[in-house]
Amino acid sequence: MQNGALRVYPLQDKDLSVNTLKEYWSFNVHDNDYGQIQGICSSYDDRFLITCGGDGNIFTFNILSPEDVHKELKAKIPSPRSGLEKEKATEDIEDPNAYNIEEVKQKKEYERIMKEAEEKKTKKREELIALRHEFLFLLQKNQELPKHMQLHREQYEMDHRIFEELDRQTAQRIQLVQKELAWEHEKHLIGLQKLRNQFRDSLEFDTVVVHAIQSNHQISTYRLLAMSEKYYQDKERPSWKRTVLKRAWKQAEKREIVRETSHARTFEGEAEKLKTSEVRKPTTHYIGSKHEQIRRIVEKSDKVKAKIMKRKAEWDELYKSKPSDDYENPKDVEDIREAQENMGCYKLKTAPNYRVPKHKRMNTEKKVMQLTSLEVLIHKRKVNMNKEIMSLRDLKISIIDKIKCLVQELKSIQTALDLSERLPLPPIPQLYPDEVPEKKFEYDSDVLLKFKEEQEAKAKLQEQLEGSPSSCAFRHGFLRAPSIKEIDPMAQAAGARPMKIASSVVTEQGKVFEIEKAEPTEMELEISKREKIKNLYLQETLIKKIKALVINFDAELRFLRHKKLKLDVQMKSADLRYITWYEELLILKNLEKHETLLQGRVDTLISEQEAMRSKLNSYLAQMEDRKSEIVKLQECEKALYANFQASLGENNEFAHFLTKVLKKKIKCMEKKEVGREADEEDENEEENDDESSLGIDEENSGSEDEVFDDSLCPKNCNEALFRNTMQLRQKRLDIEKALTEEKKVAANLRKKYNALAKKAKVVETSLDTAEMELETFQWEKQQRLNELYVVVPLKLHQVEYLVNGEMPSDFSQALVFTNQSLEYLQKRMVDLHNEKIMQREIYKKAQEQHKQLVQDKKEMDINIRRLEEKCSHLMMKKFGRLVDFEAVQAHSVNIRMEELEVQIMEKEYVHSQELQEWEERILDLRQQLMKLTKENTSKLQQLNRFCLEKQQLETKLDSLKNDLGVEFQGTRTTDIKEKARLESRLKHMARNTALLREEINLLSRKDGCLREELALLSRKDGCLFLQPLSPQDSETPTETFPVLTP
């Protein structure tokens, strides 16, 4: 009931006639204004009745049977009321909003005032309507006047300030209303923004339905939410492929750099080789030919050796290729191994012996990645489909615009045609509201006004249902503005008259033009005929074009609809797979803790095993180093003894004594280890026992009874040899000490290595057990995953599992295969059958080949024995014994001797070149000597002439002494100076002659000292000096004699 009341009708024998429904009980339990009953139902045993009201209350009533009513209830139930419909309902005065007497009086007064105000409004409206009619009449009269007498619209305004004042007042009122509603406006804006953030912003695509134009086909987009940020973060993460590519690029760059450096080095090496080749002296043709001859001999011998080695290698390969009794063809073994590795495991996952491979083991992280990748893929496919559908909608919008343009053009063409020739215009397709759902949230003033009208109509209907409109008017406000519907009819009536007047004027002008038209000529008729044919053709082409656009769009929509149906099937299967994977994820999360524990244990054991392996490798490396050090020390000891034997020489009488001195042992100052462990090797124990002796022991080679003193050198013994022996003994002791230390270190390393190897075996066994536990856990996890149901959509033609020719209801014993795997199995059966036949043929051929090879082997053995006997017979006949021709061919040429001969020839050539240079230098010096002797002879001849002239002058002077006067009898200074000069020059010439004689004697000698003596010649201030080098020359004066040179 609307007022929250509950009625109970007593029925007898389920009689539902109208008379039985007159009597009822009424229960007012819910609120009378807001407690409208929304729901009512009874319990499963019909003992209780439950009601639910709009006020938020729920009430429960007991339904008693007639027997329970008489037994339990003592109070008398009143009989149901009848005839209440005829009685007048009394007003409910319990309403808190009910009026009292004063409010009723005020209400009546308010109604009287409102009535008077309405009367005044109606009078004013009538006056305004009359004024409006008068104004329209004046406008009509003004239009009927001639154009030069008509008044402009601005001239009707008496005072423009009135309109300005009205505009200002309306603007002020609008601002006031905006200020009053600012808070409400902001509140509603915030609420709208919240709603958009909650329901609109999270949407990436809304549901858009695209309808066909000529059919009922339609296609809708997927309603998609935007992907969360975590998926975009996963996409931004660098993948392992990028990292691997970057590393590969870096490695390639490094390789290029290394290649460039190597090319540069080789280029530099070649340049250096060219320089050295330029610097090197060219050899003679003979030496080159000799080198070429040796090279040919070496090549020939190398070819012979290579031929022999090749023959040996062929024989070795032939003997190696000889199969053993248990020989297996490696190709067959490789094929079997590849088949075992690549044919795959065809065991069922439910089998007890199934083992999950490592690359197929699933954990929570991998499953989450699978789910995210599936979700991203689904989203991507739906987005692509939505884009295609939206592009189809845009195509429809563009087609509608084209059709509108074509229809407008068609209308313009049909205006020039007769009515009988006009074809019906094709309908312009319209967009449905669900094709543009985004326009639901777009609004303008017209939409808001329409919404306001709808709200007012709803409010009026609500007022009519609830009560009189006067009470609502009193509650909600005292003033009511005139509605748009009251004003619009008057405005329409006012605007209709000028339109009618304008149309009448146009018709009159048309009649005048019709009267004034003249008859067309033949040319005009021909032109009009052509225009008519052209317009008819254009009309047909435009209609065909519109139909083609519509048909093409419908075909595109049907094709895309078929594509979307296929995608819907795929999306549904993807959703089912997503559900299955999510169930697997829940199982994996439950088992994740135990799996991490097992995997952590395996990882720790693997790391421990790797650490032990690294330690074992380091111990092995250290042991190898110790062994190499021991070998070096032993070689040093052998070299020491060899040096001692070399220092003794042959037949040394003190050899026995010096040997005893060398091998004598001395007390060690350092303390040796006393205890040795029992697990050491026997050789180490013997060596340690010998080294731990603290006394002075003598060697068994010497007699133990003899006692000798090694601190003094015996008589007739070389002291240097004795001291050398003492030094060698000290070196021997140091070497033995180092050797014992190295052996100790090697023994300790061996012990550590053995202990660590035992630990490594224990770790390996524990690792095997841990891996077995992990494998069993993986199998159990796989069994848990196998318990999940997987949905596989099948068509009826795909089901081939029949029992007695019928499809069974239970498919638990059936297997599901994809078409590809089924085709592969069928093909594999045929391939195996063909392969079996082929293998049988190969086996038969191999048997026949084996028989033929055995026969050929027997024949070859007979032929080889015959040839060997023939070869040995010929060798005995020719050489008298068996000769190894391979050794003869290998050692036929002594390459080292040939090389030494070439080196001797090169040395002789170099020496001959040097002798030739020295001879040339001697020849140059001889020429210089001849030149100097010529100069000296010329100078001697000149001196001789000067002497003769002097003698003549002296004779003349002596003859003239008697004739000269007294003044001329004394000696003059000029004569004295000239005489001294000539005497010094004479002495100088005498020295030069002596020097030249000495040089002649030197040059005439052939004792090989010419080179050294001539090297002492040097020039000083244009003079040549000669210094004697031999003792005979030293007897001559030490001063140098200058020789004047021109």
Side-chain angles (χ1 to χ4, degrees):
M1 302 297 286
Q2 295 288 335
N3 56 358
L6 182 66
R7 289 184 182 181
V8 181
Y9 293 90
L11 300 176
Q12 294 180 359
D13 298 331
K14 297 183 180 180
D15 187 10
L16 299 177
S17 61
V18 179
N19 296 325
T20 57
L21 298 176
K22 292 180 180 180
E23 299 177 353
Y24 59 89
W25 288 286
S26 179
F27 299 93
N28 294 320
V29 291
H30 293 281
D31 191 81
N32 292 332
D33 292 331
Y34 307 101
Q36 181 182 1
I37 294 175
Q38 301 291 336
I40 183 169
C41 65
S42 61
S43 62
Y44 69 99
D45 54 355
D46 295 334
R47 291 183 62 189
F48 300 93
L49 184 69
I50 302 167
T51 60
C52 176
D55 55 354
N57 295 325
I58 298 173
F59 292 94
T60 306
F61 302 93
N62 290 328
I63 302 173
L64 300 177
S65 61
E67 293 81 6
D68 295 332
V69 170
H70 291 295
K71 288 180 182 179
E72 296 179 4
L73 299 176
K74 295 180 181 180
K76 186 178 180 181
I77 299 174
S79 59
R81 294 179 291 177
S82 60
L84 291 176
E85 290 82 3
K86 297 178 181 179
E87 295 180 0
K88 189 177 181 181
T90 57
E91 294 182 0
D92 189 7
I93 59 174
E94 293 180 357
D95 188 5
N97 296 323
Y99 304 123
N100 53 18
I101 298 172
E102 184 65 26
E103 288 176 348
V104 170
K105 289 182 179 180
Q106 290 179 1
K107 180 175 173 293
K108 287 182 179 180
E109 185 66 22
Y110 172 73
E111 287 178 355
R112 186 183 63 77
I113 293 168
M114 291 298 295
K115 187 176 180 182
E116 291 177 358
E118 289 294 331
E119 289 176 357
K120 286 181 181 181
K121 285 180 182 179
T122 53
K123 287 180 182 180
K124 289 290 183 184
R125 285 171 184 161
E126 288 175 359
E127 291 176 2
L128 287 171
I129 290 168
L131 289 172
R132 190 176 285 113
H133 287 314
E134 187 177 357
F135 181 70
L136 292 173
F137 181 70
L138 290 173
L139 286 175
Q140 187 177 358
K141 270 191 169 185
N142 187 27
Q143 270 189 343
E144 291 175 357
L145 290 174
K147 198 168 186 179
H148 65 277
M149 295 177 66
Q150 290 180 1
L151 296 174
H152 295 287
R153 191 61 184 263
E154 291 81 6
Q155 295 177 358
Y156 287 100
E157 296 180 2
M158 301 299 293
D159 190 359
H160 64 86
R161 291 176 294 179
I162 297 171
F163 291 99
E164 290 178 358
E165 182 66 23
L166 289 173
D167 293 337
R168 188 181 62 79
Q169 289 178 2
T170 52
Q172 286 181 355
R173 288 175 185 174
I174 289 168
Q175 289 179 1
L176 183 62
V177 172
Q178 286 178 353
K179 289 179 181 179
E180 290 176 354
L181 299 176
W183 187 84
E184 290 288 335
H185 180 260
E186 189 67 24
K187 178 184 175 183
H188 291 303
L189 276 179
I190 293 169
L192 178 62
Q193 189 64 34
K194 286 183 178 179
L195 290 173
R196 282 178 178 172
N197 293 336
Q198 184 68 24
F199 299 104
R200 292 291 302 169
D201 293 345
S202 61
L203 271 180
E204 188 174 358
F205 282 98
D206 200 357
T207 304
V208 178
V209 182
V210 182
H211 297 267
I213 298 174
Q214 288 183 342
S215 62
N216 295 327
H217 296 94
Q218 61 184 16
I219 184 173
S220 62
T221 61
Y222 295 102
R223 191 173 186 272
L224 291 178
L225 296 175
M227 298 291 287
S228 60
E229 295 180 356
K230 64 179 182 180
Y231 298 118
Y232 295 108
Q233 291 175 0
D234 293 336
K235 287 181 182 179
E236 290 175 358
R237 288 177 186 172
S239 61
W240 64 272
K241 292 182 180 179
R242 293 179 182 175
T243 55
V244 168
L245 287 172
K246 287 181 179 179
R247 289 176 183 173
W249 293 337
K250 289 181 180 179
Q251 290 178 359
E253 289 177 357
K254 289 181 180 178
R255 288 173 185 170
E256 288 178 0
I257 292 166
V258 171
R259 286 176 185 172
E260 289 176 359
T261 53
S262 64
H263 284 307
R265 289 175 182 172
T266 53
F267 181 74
E268 291 175 358
E270 289 176 359
E272 290 178 357
K273 287 179 182 178
L274 289 172
K275 288 180 181 178
T276 53
S277 64
E278 289 176 359
V279 173
R280 286 177 184 171
K281 294 180 179 180
T283 59
T284 60
H285 180 69
Y286 179 73
I287 295 171
S289 62
K290 199 71 177 175
H291 274 295
E292 186 68 22
Q293 186 179 359
I294 292 168
R295 187 181 61 80
R296 288 174 184 172
I297 292 167
V298 171
E299 286 180 356
K300 188 176 180 181
S301 63
D302 289 339
K303 286 180 180 178
V304 172
K305 288 181 181 179
K307 191 174 181 181
I308 293 166
M309 294 300 294
K310 184 179 179 182
R311 194 181 300 119
K312 284 183 179 180
E314 288 177 355
W315 279 106
D316 292 337
E317 288 179 1
L318 184 62
Y319 281 117
K320 285 180 182 178
S321 63
K322 182 180 178 181
S324 60
D325 296 335
D326 54 351
Y327 171 76
E328 292 181 356
N329 192 358
K331 186 178 179 181
D332 296 338
V333 174
E334 185 67 21
D335 293 339
I336 291 167
R337 188 182 63 79
E338 287 182 0
Q340 288 176 353
E341 290 179 357
N342 301 323
M343 72 180 178
C345 180
Y346 291 101
K347 296 176 184 176
L348 293 175
K349 292 183 179 180
T350 54
N353 58 349
Y354 178 75
R355 290 290 177 266
V356 184
K358 288 186 178 180
H359 66 279
K360 289 186 179 180
R361 290 179 182 177
M362 188 60 62
N363 54 13
T364 307
E365 187 177 358
K366 290 182 181 179
K367 188 57 68 176
V368 170
M369 290 296 292
Q370 278 187 355
L371 288 172
T372 52
S373 61
L374 181 61
E375 192 171 352
V376 169
L377 184 61
I378 290 170
H379 185 269
K380 187 177 179 182
R381 297 288 295 276
K382 287 185 178 180
V383 165
N384 293 334
M385 180 54 66
N386 287 348
K387 287 180 181 178
E388 291 183 6
I389 294 171
M390 294 301 289
S391 63
L392 186 67
R393 188 194 69 173
D394 297 337
L395 178 63
K396 184 176 181 180
I397 293 170
S398 63
I399 286 171
I400 289 171
D401 294 336
K402 287 181 182 177
I403 290 172
K404 285 180 180 178
C405 296
L406 293 173
V407 167
Q408 191 68 29
E409 189 178 354
L410 188 61
K411 285 182 180 178
S412 63
I413 291 169
Q414 285 184 352
T415 52
L417 295 173
D418 296 335
L419 293 174
S420 60
E421 294 174 349
R422 294 178 185 176
L423 296 174
L425 292 172
I428 298 173
Q430 300 295 329
L431 288 174
Y432 291 88
D434 53 359
E435 289 182 334
V436 282
E438 62 271 10
K439 289 189 177 180
K440 292 180 183 178
F441 305 97
E442 296 177 1
Y443 57 89
D444 52 3
S445 59
D446 297 335
V447 175
L448 293 174
L449 289 173
K450 187 176 179 182
F451 179 73
K452 185 179 178 182
E453 290 175 1
E454 292 176 357
Q455 292 295 324
E456 287 179 355
K458 288 181 181 179
K460 285 182 180 180
L461 184 61
Q462 190 70 20
E463 286 175 0
Q464 290 176 2
L465 292 173
E466 290 181 357
S468 63
S470 59
S471 61
C472 291
F474 182 73
R475 289 178 187 176
H476 296 289
F478 294 97
L479 295 174
R480 187 173 66 87
S483 63
I484 299 171
K485 291 181 180 179
E486 294 176 354
I487 299 171
D488 286 345
M490 293 184 288
Q492 290 175 0
R497 291 182 181 178
M499 290 294 293
K500 289 179 181 178
I501 294 164
S503 63
S504 64
V505 173
V506 171
T507 52
E508 288 176 359
Q509 288 178 358
K511 288 178 181 179
V512 173
F513 285 123
E514 285 178 1
I515 293 167
E516 291 178 357
K517 276 186 178 180
E519 293 182 359
T521 60
E522 292 181 359
M523 183 66 70
E524 290 176 351
L525 289 172
E526 185 68 24
I527 291 168
S528 63
K529 188 175 180 182
R530 288 185 179 181
E531 289 291 331
K532 183 178 179 181
I533 294 168
K534 180 182 177 182
N535 291 330
L536 289 171
Y537 174 74
L538 289 174
Q539 181 182 5
E540 291 178 357
T541 54
L542 289 174
I543 290 171
K544 288 180 180 179
K545 194 172 183 180
I546 291 168
K547 288 181 179 179
L549 287 172
V550 172
I551 291 168
N552 290 332
F553 174 76
D554 289 347
E556 288 286 336
L557 188 139
R558 287 195 297 272
F559 176 74
L560 192 60
R561 180 171 171 270
H562 182 69
K563 188 176 178 181
K564 186 176 179 290
L565 289 174
K566 291 183 177 179
L567 184 63
D568 289 337
V569 175
Q570 295 176 2
M571 291 299 104
K572 185 59 67 177
S573 62
D575 291 338
L576 295 172
R577 185 176 297 176
Y578 187 87
I579 292 167
T580 307
W581 285 0
Y582 186 74
E583 291 177 353
E584 291 179 357
L585 178 63
L586 295 177
I587 294 171
L588 291 172
K589 281 185 178 180
N590 293 330
L591 302 174
E592 185 179 8
K593 188 174 181 181
H594 188 53
E595 185 179 5
T596 51
L597 289 173
L598 292 173
Q599 190 65 39
R601 185 181 173 190
V602 171
D603 293 338
T604 52
L605 289 171
I606 289 170
S607 61
E608 189 176 354
Q609 188 180 20
E610 289 177 354
M612 286 184 176
R613 282 179 182 173
S614 63
K615 284 184 180 180
L616 288 171
N617 293 329
S618 66
Y619 284 156
L620 284 173
Q622 290 177 11
M623 288 166 66
E624 291 294 330
D625 294 338
R626 295 304 100 193
K627 285 181 181 178
S628 62
E629 290 293 332
I630 289 168
V631 171
K632 287 180 182 178
L633 290 172
Q634 289 175 354
E635 289 177 355
C636 289
E637 190 174 4
K638 290 179 182 179
L640 187 141
Y641 280 109
N643 190 9
F644 174 71
Q645 293 294 333
S647 63
L648 285 177
E650 295 180 358
N651 300 322
N652 194 340
E653 56 181 352
F654 296 99
H656 182 69
F657 173 77
L658 293 174
T659 305
K660 288 171 68 177
V661 170
L662 180 65
K663 294 183 178 181
K664 183 179 178 181
K665 293 186 178 180
I666 302 172
K667 288 183 180 180
C668 297
M669 300 303 294
E670 298 178 357
K671 293 183 179 180
K672 303 289 182 178
E673 292 180 0
V674 180
R676 300 293 176 186
E677 294 184 2
D679 58 350
E680 290 183 351
E681 296 177 358
D682 297 331
E683 296 177 357
N684 293 331
E685 287 180 358
E686 292 174 359
E687 291 173 0
N688 291 329
D689 292 333
D690 294 333
E691 291 170 357
S692 62
S693 60
L694 301 176
I696 299 171
D697 297 331
E698 296 181 357
E699 294 292 333
N700 296 325
S701 61
S703 61
E704 295 180 358
D705 297 331
E706 294 179 0
V707 178
F708 64 94
D709 188 7
D710 59 350
S711 61
L712 296 174
C713 180
K715 292 180 180 180
N716 299 326
C717 182
N718 192 359
E719 292 184 0
L721 183 61
F722 182 75
R723 285 196 297 272
N724 187 21
T725 305
M726 297 295 287
Q727 291 176 0
L728 291 174
R729 185 179 69 180
Q730 187 63 33
K731 288 182 181 179
R732 181 186 64 80
L733 293 172
D734 295 337
I735 290 169
E736 287 180 355
K737 183 180 176 182
L739 193 60
T740 53
E741 292 294 331
E742 292 294 334
K743 287 181 179 180
K744 285 180 186 178
V745 174
N748 292 329
L749 289 172
R750 171 64 64 182
K751 188 168 72 173
K752 289 180 182 179
Y753 180 80
N754 293 331
L756 193 61
K758 290 179 181 178
K759 289 183 181 179
K761 287 181 181 179
V762 173
V763 170
E764 188 175 359
T765 53
S766 59
L767 179 61
D768 293 337
T769 55
E771 286 180 350
M772 287 298 295
E773 290 178 0
L774 185 60
E775 286 184 359
T776 54
F777 176 77
Q778 291 291 338
W779 182 79
E780 291 174 359
K781 185 171 71 173
Q782 186 65 41
Q783 296 303 317
R784 291 281 299 276
L785 294 175
N786 292 339
E787 292 175 0
L788 295 175
Y789 289 102
V790 180
V791 178
V792 181
L794 295 174
K795 296 180 182 179
L796 290 177
H797 71 276
Q798 292 177 325
V799 179
E800 297 182 1
Y801 177 60
L802 302 175
V803 177
N804 298 326
E806 295 180 355
M807 188 181 297
S809 59
D810 185 14
F811 284 92
S812 60
Q813 300 298 324
L815 287 175
V816 179
F817 279 93
T818 60
N819 292 330
Q820 294 178 354
S821 59
L822 188 61
E823 290 174 0
Y824 173 75
L825 289 174
Q826 292 174 353
K827 183 181 177 184
R828 184 61 180 162
M829 289 169 64
V830 177
D831 292 341
L832 288 173
H833 181 68
N834 295 331
E835 189 175 354
K836 188 177 179 181
I837 295 169
M838 186 176 67
Q839 289 295 329
R840 285 179 179 174
E841 292 177 356
I842 291 169
Y843 181 70
K844 289 179 181 179
K845 290 180 181 179
Q847 279 185 340
E848 294 175 358
Q849 188 179 4
H850 178 69
K851 292 178 182 178
Q852 185 66 33
L853 287 173
V854 169
Q855 186 67 28
D856 294 340
K857 182 184 176 184
K858 290 178 181 179
E859 293 177 358
M860 290 296 291
D861 288 337
I862 295 167
N863 193 10
I864 287 167
R865 283 197 296 271
R866 183 177 59 78
L867 290 173
E868 284 179 351
E869 290 174 358
K870 185 178 179 181
C871 181
S872 60
H873 178 70
L874 289 172
M875 287 170 67
M876 292 297 293
K877 188 176 179 180
K878 188 172 184 179
F879 301 108
R881 64 188 182 90
L882 298 176
V883 179
D884 189 2
F885 283 104
E886 292 180 356
V888 171
Q889 289 177 354
H891 299 286
S892 61
V893 180
N894 193 350
I895 298 169
R896 180 62 181 165
M897 188 177 70
E898 296 291 335
E899 290 177 353
L900 290 172
E901 287 179 357
V902 172
Q903 289 179 4
I904 290 167
M905 292 173 66
E906 288 179 353
K907 291 290 184 183
E908 287 178 354
Y909 175 76
V910 171
H911 292 159
S912 65
Q913 290 291 328
E914 289 180 356
L915 288 172
Q916 188 176 359
E917 289 176 1
W918 281 111
E919 286 176 357
E920 290 176 357
R921 289 185 66 182
I922 290 167
L923 183 62
D924 293 337
L925 290 171
R926 282 179 179 175
Q927 289 178 359
Q928 290 178 5
L929 181 60
M930 291 293 292
K931 187 176 180 181
L932 289 172
T933 51
K934 285 180 181 180
E935 290 178 356
N936 289 330
T937 51
S938 64
K939 286 178 181 180
L940 287 171
Q941 289 174 1
Q942 188 178 3
L943 180 61
N944 193 11
R945 286 196 303 270
F946 287 155
C947 289
L948 292 174
E949 288 178 1
K950 179 182 177 184
Q951 190 176 3
Q952 290 175 4
L953 289 171
E954 285 179 353
T955 56
K956 284 181 180 181
L957 285 172
D958 292 335
S959 64
L960 290 173
K961 280 183 181 179
N962 298 322
D963 297 334
L964 292 174
V966 179
E967 63 275 14
F968 297 105
Q969 289 179 2
T971 58
R972 291 185 297 175
T973 56
T974 55
D975 296 335
I976 294 167
K977 289 180 181 179
E978 184 66 22
K979 186 178 179 180
R981 186 180 67 77
L982 292 172
E983 288 177 355
S984 64
R985 189 170 183 181
L986 184 60
K987 289 179 181 180
H988 183 66
M989 293 297 289
R991 288 174 185 172
N992 286 338
T993 54
L995 183 61
L996 288 171
R997 287 172 184 169
E998 197 69 32
E999 287 179 1
I1000 290 166
N1001 293 327
L1002 288 172
L1003 291 171
S1004 62
R1005 291 169 62 183
K1006 296 183 180 180
D1007 54 355
C1009 299
L1010 183 63
R1011 181 179 178 183
E1012 289 79 3
E1013 291 174 353
L1014 290 175
L1016 299 174
L1017 292 173
S1018 61
R1019 288 183 175 273
K1020 287 185 179 181
D1021 300 330
C1023 298
L1024 185 67
F1025 292 91
L1026 184 65
Q1027 296 180 0
L1029 296 175
S1030 62
Q1032 292 82 8
D1033 297 332
S1034 62
E1035 293 176 358
T1036 58
T1038 57
E1039 59 182 356
T1040 59
F1041 303 99
V1043 180
L1044 296 174
T1045 57

